[in-house]
Amino acid sequence: MSILETKQLHKTFNGVPVVNGVSLSIESGKITSLIGPNGSGKSTTINLITGMIPFDGGAVVIEKGTILSRIQPNQIASYGITRTFQNVEVFEQMTALDNILLVLTERNVFSSLFEKHTQYHLDIAERVMKRLDIWEKRNDMVENLSYGQRKLLEIARVIAMGERTDGETKVLFFDEPYAGLFPEMVKLVTTILKELRDEGKAIILVEHNMDLIRELSDYVYVLDAGKHLKEGSVDNVLSDQQVIEAYLGN
Amino acid sequence: MDYIIHLFILIGIFSILGLSLNLVIGYTGLLSATHAGFYGIGAYAVAILMKNTGMNFFIALLLSIVITVLSALVIGVVLSKFKDDIYALGSFGFAIITYGLMLNLQGVTRGPLGIPGIGRPELFDISFSTNLTFLILTLVLAVLVWWMTRYITRSSYGRVLQAIRENEKTIQFFGYTTYWYKLSIFMISAGMAAIAGALFATYITFIDPSSFTLIESIFMIAMIILGGLADNRGAIIGVIIMILLPEFLRFVGFPTEVAAQMRQVIYGLMLVVMMLYRPQGIYGKFKF
Amino acid sequence: MKNIKWIIGILVVIILVVVLSNGGDKEQSAQQTEGPIKIGFIGPLTGDVASLGENALIAAQLAVDEINANGGINDRTVELIAEDGSCSGKEASSAAQKLISIDKVVGIIGGLCSSESSAFTGILNQSETPGISYCSSAATLSDAGDYFFRTYPSDAYQGVFAANYLRNEKMIDKVAVLYVNDDWGAGLKQSFIDTFKNLGGEVVLEESFEKDERDFRTQLLKAQASGANLIYYLGFDQGAVSAIKQRDELNVDLPMFGADPWDDMTIWNDVASISEGFGYTVPHTTDSQSFTSKMADVGVSEVSVCASQSYDTMNIFAQVIGQVGTNGSDIKDALYDVQYQNGISSQNISFDENGDLVGAEYVVKTIQDGQVVEL
């Protein structure tokens, strides 16, 4: 039973179809990878599902059959969806700890005004940040952290989203989480992704490194020029002649 | 000594303005130039209520806060849809509109003639008619505002404001509807500006639209940038410098013929030098 | 912890102020008995109307120099201390507060703008320091308390005078009023309209414009269409020149009538030829020739409005202080009884119970054959 589906998603930029009828089916407890050559529409697909860009056609179906034809960014958290960003989007002139506390506290304007973070929130933040080995940096301004640490902070933020009390986060999008990471950080992220899968989260991964895709993916979608080219298990997909051509063709 | 008290009263009034504007500009990153408008609406509301209905200052103050917050709601509903430079431009527009209304709604505001003879505050048997008692009232209200801004900026809400300043687009993906935050802080800040307006009106006992122009907003923005954005101490230090520096320059002893012009030139130059020397402001944590 | 420091800091400041102010009160009541007699001056020395303020300051200083050259007041010299009021309430109140509590001036000449004067009349009354404005004309300043006087007539008088003249002598039935939207324009307009209507006239158009407006075509055409017999124009020199030229271009066949800012030869050097039959009201001044030449000697080629009042104001202070000394309350009482003779701005200057100039005299000047002629 899929936790999130897309049906014939369409998006056109200046008359050029960038995403052209993509239908995905995401399941809990699995890592679903989106692969394809540059410009094949992987990131755009994620941006459409998470409301960063409005889609022109098709629909997103979330759990219990709710069909959405329009998604606002501020709604996705309530659908149990969260994400990281291709170009690390953290809050630069705030501390690393504040970046995490931010997703743990109240969303409502009035409740947040009368709330101050408590030891309870700090404990969660500590647990999550320790898991990514950035707890030592908690009081540093994010703008002073290294690129890799900021990527880890983004992943910590996604995990923290799953720890907040006012709603369960079930679907996690990772848009190129490995780009620019040192080998030991790569190992750490891999461990985290596996742990999250084992906790029963649905994970959508966009990645270029085929070794990582082979190691992590339970299911793979291949996109090419905005179109759905192939899907299936890693071994089947990566040995497919069409897929190899699509990659070599670029 | 009345002069010193007078300067402290002005510092108190402008501290309220600086602290409240800092919530919008420093913490939320919204470059609003409408603040002088709310300062004016608060001043006019108190002046008109006290003059026309003989209402007690403290009741008039509460009503003027309500009126100003409602005005901020009307303006903020539009303004909160924008961000960055468009927000700044929109707020310029609203500053000009509020000034235009004060100038042209002559039936209510008496337009350019201004409202003279506004009474000093009274509470039961206590009259705040001397400058000293008025200073104490001003400081009590300024400390109250300072405590409120401190509370707000330390709450979870305050953290969201900073995130909006840093990256408004991204914070939305984590379940925050930034529109409500931008609108609410704008209203809170306007309500505080109304307190400053009420104090100004009853202190000077005369108001006219010229005290609430766009230039006055820019003066307030300069204060908090000088002191350092997103820091309450910074806002107050900035206010103290911006109020005391021109007064200090009265005593430098320029020749009479050029004293006034020199005062303005030196004042401007010193501000430029301070910004060159410390662009993030004295206590600044945050840069635009 | 930092915040506690701040609260303590603020408390310390309050205490300090309380202590200092108690000490200060005694200081203030001390009479100024020796050294120069200090008189404060407040006017806009920077900003839009700085030229008027500077002109008035030079005139006041001229009076001070003359007084000192003649031995001062009771053998004490006079010192004029000028502060910039910037035509703003906030600035003017700081300036007045500084003059009174730091310089301990005996009296204040000023302010120029009504917004300046209105902002510190409270301070004058509280500190019992007399102030005489040489230019503020807002009608509301009549109620500004015992310690505020002015040698410049309230707008109320000029409006009343102009309305009487136009209605009773020129037999104008319908008038279109164009006025600059500031305290002067709006105040004068109101007193004119009230009087004009009482006299049975009709105001068929009432249009305001901003200080820097230079395009009056719309208002002029509206005035023509309104069926008015005359345009009453309340505005300053550059705008007036534009309006008069545009009236000519558009062939608007209505005479124009102005107020005291029109008493400025730069206007008529430019447009007198197309202004035949126009007129304006201006406060009556005497002996303006000798004053103009004195001002020329100190480098002022164009004497602007209010300069002669500023000169007279200083001399009135000198006369009164010579009689009663430097106590503020005594000076105030003496000012209500003062009879100042041979003034520049007015032959006799005295104040009524509101501190307003008594018997403000106006004259009408008209443009005839390209020349300004006093009626």
Side-chain angles (χ1 to χ4, degrees), chain C residues 314-359:
Chain C
M314 183 59 232
N315 282 317
I316 291 169
F317 265 128
Q319 179 180 323
V320 169
I321 293 167
Q323 289 161 1
V324 301
T326 55
N327 180 288
S329 165
D330 295 345
I331 297 173
K332 177 220 29 167
D333 291 338
L335 280 170
Y336 282 107
D337 300 327
V338 79
Q339 292 292 333
Y340 178 75
Q341 305 290 331
N342 301 321
I344 305 295
S345 55
S346 184
Q347 182 67 32
N348 297 307
I349 297 176
S350 57
F351 303 105
D352 66 14
E353 72 279 8
N354 292 325
D356 278 335
L357 183 65
V358 168

Coordinates of all heavy atoms in Angstrom, one line a residue, chain C residues 314-359:
Chain C
M314 N 13.1 92.1 19.3 CA 14.3 92.3 20.2 C 14.3 93.6 20.9 O 14.6 93.7 22.1 CB 15.6 92.2 19.3 CG 16.9 92.3 20.1 SD 17.1 91.0 21.3 CE 17.5 92.0 22.8
N315 N 13.9 94.7 20.2 CA 13.8 96.0 20.8 C 12.7 96.1 21.9 O 12.9 96.8 22.9 CB 13.6 97.0 19.7 CG 14.9 97.4 19.0 OD1 16.0 97.5 19.6 ND2 14.8 97.4 17.7
I316 N 11.6 95.3 21.7 CA 10.6 95.3 22.7 C 11.1 94.7 24.0 O 10.9 95.2 25.1 CB 9.3 94.6 22.2 CG1 8.7 95.4 21.1 CG2 8.4 94.3 23.3 CD1 7.6 94.6 20.3
F317 N 11.8 93.5 23.8 CA 12.5 92.9 25.0 C 13.4 93.9 25.7 O 13.4 94.0 26.9 CB 13.3 91.7 24.5 CG 12.5 90.4 24.7 CD1 12.4 89.5 23.6 CD2 11.9 90.0 25.9 CE1 11.7 88.3 23.7 CE2 11.2 88.8 26.0 CZ 11.1 88.0 24.9
A318 N 14.2 94.6 24.9 CA 15.1 95.5 25.5 C 14.4 96.6 26.3 O 14.8 96.9 27.4 CB 16.0 96.2 24.4
Q319 N 13.3 97.1 25.7 CA 12.6 98.2 26.3 C 12.0 97.7 27.7 O 12.1 98.4 28.7 CB 11.5 98.7 25.4 CG 10.6 99.8 26.0 CD 9.5 100.2 25.1 OE1 9.7 100.3 23.9 NE2 8.3 100.5 25.6
V320 N 11.4 96.5 27.6 CA 10.7 96.0 28.8 C 11.7 95.6 29.9 O 11.6 95.9 31.1 CB 9.8 94.8 28.4 CG1 9.3 94.1 29.7 CG2 8.7 95.3 27.6
I321 N 12.8 95.0 29.5 CA 13.8 94.6 30.5 C 14.5 95.8 31.1 O 14.7 95.8 32.3 CB 14.9 93.6 29.8 CG1 14.3 92.3 29.4 CG2 16.1 93.4 30.8 CD1 15.1 91.5 28.5
G322 N 14.6 96.9 30.3 CA 15.2 98.1 30.8 C 14.3 98.7 31.9 O 14.7 99.3 32.9
Q323 N 12.9 98.4 31.8 CA 12.0 99.0 32.8 C 11.9 98.1 34.0 O 11.9 98.6 35.1 CB 10.6 99.1 32.2 CG 10.5 100.2 31.1 CD 9.3 100.0 30.2 OE1 8.5 99.1 30.4 NE2 9.2 101.0 29.3
V324 N 11.8 96.7 33.8 CA 11.4 95.9 35.0 C 12.5 94.9 35.4 O 12.3 94.1 36.3 CB 10.1 95.1 34.7 CG1 9.0 96.1 34.4 CG2 10.3 94.2 33.5
G325 N 13.6 94.8 34.7 CA 14.7 93.9 35.0 C 14.4 92.5 34.3 O 13.7 92.4 33.4
T326 N 15.1 91.5 34.8 CA 15.2 90.3 34.1 C 14.3 89.2 34.7 O 14.4 88.0 34.3 CB 16.6 89.7 34.1 OG1 17.1 89.6 35.4 CG2 17.5 90.7 33.3
N327 N 13.4 89.5 35.6 CA 12.5 88.4 36.1 C 11.4 88.1 35.1 O 10.8 89.0 34.6 CB 11.9 88.9 37.4 CG 10.9 87.9 38.0 OD1 9.9 87.6 37.5 ND2 11.4 87.2 39.1
G328 N 11.3 86.8 34.8 CA 10.4 86.4 33.7 C 9.0 86.9 33.9 O 8.3 87.4 33.0
S329 N 8.5 86.7 35.2 CA 7.1 87.0 35.5 C 6.9 88.6 35.4 O 5.9 89.0 34.8 CB 6.8 86.5 36.9 OG 5.6 87.1 37.4
D330 N 7.9 89.3 35.8 CA 7.8 90.8 35.7 C 7.7 91.2 34.2 O 7.0 92.1 33.8 CB 9.0 91.5 36.3 CG 9.0 91.3 37.8 OD1 7.9 90.9 38.4 OD2 10.0 91.5 38.5
I331 N 8.6 90.6 33.4 CA 8.7 90.9 32.0 C 7.3 90.6 31.3 O 6.8 91.4 30.6 CB 9.8 90.1 31.3 CG1 11.1 90.5 31.8 CG2 9.7 90.4 29.8 CD1 12.3 89.7 31.3
K332 N 6.8 89.4 31.7 CA 5.5 89.0 31.1 C 4.4 90.1 31.5 O 3.7 90.6 30.6 CB 5.0 87.7 31.7 CG 3.7 87.3 31.3 CD 2.8 86.6 32.3 CE 2.9 87.0 33.7 NZ 1.9 86.6 34.6
D333 N 4.4 90.5 32.7 CA 3.3 91.5 33.1 C 3.5 92.8 32.3 O 2.6 93.4 31.9 CB 3.4 91.8 34.6 CG 3.0 90.6 35.4 OD1 2.2 89.7 34.9 OD2 3.4 90.5 36.6
A334 N 4.8 93.2 32.2 CA 5.1 94.4 31.5 C 4.8 94.4 30.0 O 4.4 95.4 29.5 CB 6.6 94.8 31.7
L335 N 4.9 93.2 29.5 CA 4.6 93.0 28.0 C 3.1 93.3 27.8 O 2.8 93.9 26.7 CB 5.0 91.6 27.5 CG 6.5 91.4 27.2 CD1 6.8 90.0 27.0 CD2 6.9 92.3 26.0
Y336 N 2.3 92.9 28.7 CA 0.8 93.2 28.5 C 0.5 94.7 28.5 O -0.5 95.1 27.9 CB 0.0 92.4 29.6 CG -0.2 91.0 29.3 CD1 0.5 90.0 30.0 CD2 -1.0 90.5 28.2 CE1 0.4 88.7 29.8 CE2 -1.1 89.2 27.9 CZ -0.4 88.3 28.7 OH -0.5 86.9 28.4
D337 N 1.4 95.5 29.1 CA 1.1 96.9 29.1 C 2.0 97.7 28.2 O 2.0 98.9 28.1 CB 1.4 97.5 30.6 CG 0.5 96.8 31.6 OD1 -0.6 96.4 31.2 OD2 1.0 96.6 32.7
V338 N 2.9 97.0 27.4 CA 3.9 97.7 26.7 C 3.3 98.5 25.6 O 2.2 98.2 25.0 CB 4.9 96.7 26.1 CG1 4.4 96.0 24.9 CG2 6.2 97.4 25.8
Q339 N 3.8 99.7 25.4 CA 3.5 100.6 24.2 C 4.8 100.8 23.5 O 5.6 101.6 23.9 CB 2.9 101.9 24.7 CG 1.5 101.8 25.3 CD 0.5 101.4 24.3 OE1 0.6 101.6 23.1 NE2 -0.6 100.7 24.8
Y340 N 5.0 100.1 22.4 CA 6.3 100.2 21.7 C 6.1 101.1 20.5 O 5.2 100.9 19.7 CB 6.8 98.8 21.3 CG 8.1 98.9 20.5 CD1 9.3 99.1 21.1 CD2 8.1 98.7 19.1 CE1 10.5 99.1 20.4 CE2 9.2 98.7 18.4 CZ 10.5 98.9 19.1 OH 11.6 98.9 18.3
Q341 N 6.8 102.2 20.5 CA 6.6 103.2 19.4 C 7.6 103.1 18.3 O 8.7 102.6 18.5 CB 6.7 104.7 20.1 CG 5.9 104.9 21.3 CD 4.4 105.0 20.9 OE1 4.1 105.4 19.8 NE2 3.5 104.7 21.8
N342 N 7.2 103.6 17.2 CA 8.1 103.7 16.0 C 8.7 102.4 15.6 O 9.9 102.3 15.3 CB 9.2 104.8 16.3 CG 8.6 106.1 16.6 OD1 7.6 106.5 15.9 ND2 9.2 106.8 17.5
G343 N 7.9 101.4 15.7 CA 8.4 100.1 15.2 C 8.6 100.1 13.7 O 8.1 100.9 13.0
I344 N 9.3 99.1 13.2 CA 9.5 98.9 11.8 C 8.3 98.2 11.2 O 7.8 98.6 10.1 CB 10.8 98.1 11.5 CG1 12.0 98.7 12.1 CG2 11.0 98.0 10.0 CD1 12.4 100.1 11.6
S345 N 7.9 97.2 11.9 CA 6.8 96.4 11.3 C 5.5 97.0 11.5 O 4.5 96.8 10.8 CB 6.8 95.0 12.0 OG 6.7 95.1 13.4
S346 N 5.4 97.9 12.5 CA 4.1 98.5 12.8 C 4.4 99.7 13.7 O 5.4 99.7 14.5 CB 3.3 97.5 13.6 OG 2.0 98.1 13.8
Q347 N 3.7 100.8 13.5 CA 3.9 102.1 14.1 C 3.9 101.9 15.7 O 4.9 102.2 16.4 CB 2.9 103.1 13.7 CG 3.1 104.5 14.3 CD 4.4 105.1 13.8 OE1 4.8 104.9 12.7 NE2 5.1 105.9 14.7
N348 N 2.8 101.4 16.1 CA 2.7 101.1 17.6 C 2.5 99.6 17.8 O 1.6 99.0 17.1 CB 1.4 101.8 18.1 CG 1.5 103.3 18.0 OD1 2.5 103.9 18.4 ND2 0.5 103.9 17.4
I349 N 3.2 99.1 18.7 CA 3.1 97.7 19.0 C 2.6 97.5 20.4 O 3.3 98.0 21.4 CB 4.3 96.9 18.7 CG1 4.7 96.9 17.3 CG2 4.2 95.4 19.2 CD1 6.0 96.3 16.9
S350 N 1.5 96.8 20.6 CA 1.1 96.5 22.0 C 0.3 95.1 21.9 O 0.0 94.7 20.8 CB 0.2 97.5 22.6 OG -0.9 97.8 21.8
F351 N 0.2 94.5 23.0 CA -0.4 93.1 23.0 C -1.7 93.1 23.7 O -1.9 93.8 24.7 CB 0.5 92.1 23.6 CG 1.9 92.1 23.0 CD1 3.0 92.7 23.6 CD2 2.1 91.5 21.8 CE1 4.2 92.6 23.0 CE2 3.3 91.4 21.2 CZ 4.4 92.0 21.8
D352 N -2.7 92.3 23.2 CA -4.0 92.2 23.9 C -3.9 91.1 25.0 O -2.8 90.6 25.2 CB -5.1 91.9 22.9 CG -5.0 90.6 22.2 OD1 -4.2 89.7 22.7 OD2 -5.7 90.4 21.2
E353 N -5.0 90.8 25.6 CA -4.9 89.8 26.7 C -4.5 88.4 26.3 O -4.2 87.6 27.1 CB -6.3 89.8 27.4 CG -7.4 89.1 26.7 CD -8.1 90.0 25.7 OE1 -7.6 91.1 25.4 OE2 -9.2 89.6 25.1
N354 N -4.6 88.1 25.0 CA -4.1 86.8 24.5 C -2.6 86.9 24.1 O -2.1 85.9 23.6 CB -4.9 86.4 23.3 CG -6.3 86.1 23.7 OD1 -6.6 85.6 24.7 ND2 -7.2 86.4 22.8
G355 N -2.0 88.0 24.2 CA -0.6 88.1 23.7 C -0.5 88.4 22.3 O 0.5 88.4 21.7
D356 N -1.7 88.6 21.6 CA -1.7 88.9 20.2 C -1.4 90.4 20.0 O -1.7 91.2 20.8 CB -3.1 88.5 19.6 CG -3.2 87.1 19.3 OD1 -2.1 86.4 19.1 OD2 -4.3 86.6 19.2
L357 N -0.9 90.6 18.8 CA -0.7 92.0 18.4 C -2.0 92.8 18.3 O -2.9 92.3 17.7 CB 0.0 92.0 17.0 CG 0.4 93.3 16.4 CD1 1.6 93.9 17.2 CD2 0.9 93.0 14.9
V358 N -2.0 93.9 18.9 CA -3.2 94.7 18.9 C -3.3 95.5 17.6 O -2.3 96.1 17.2 CB -3.3 95.7 20.1 CG1 -4.4 96.7 20.0 CG2 -3.5 94.9 21.4
G359 N -4.5 95.6 17.1 CA -4.7 96.5 15.9 C -3.8 96.2 14.8 O -3.2 97.1 14.2

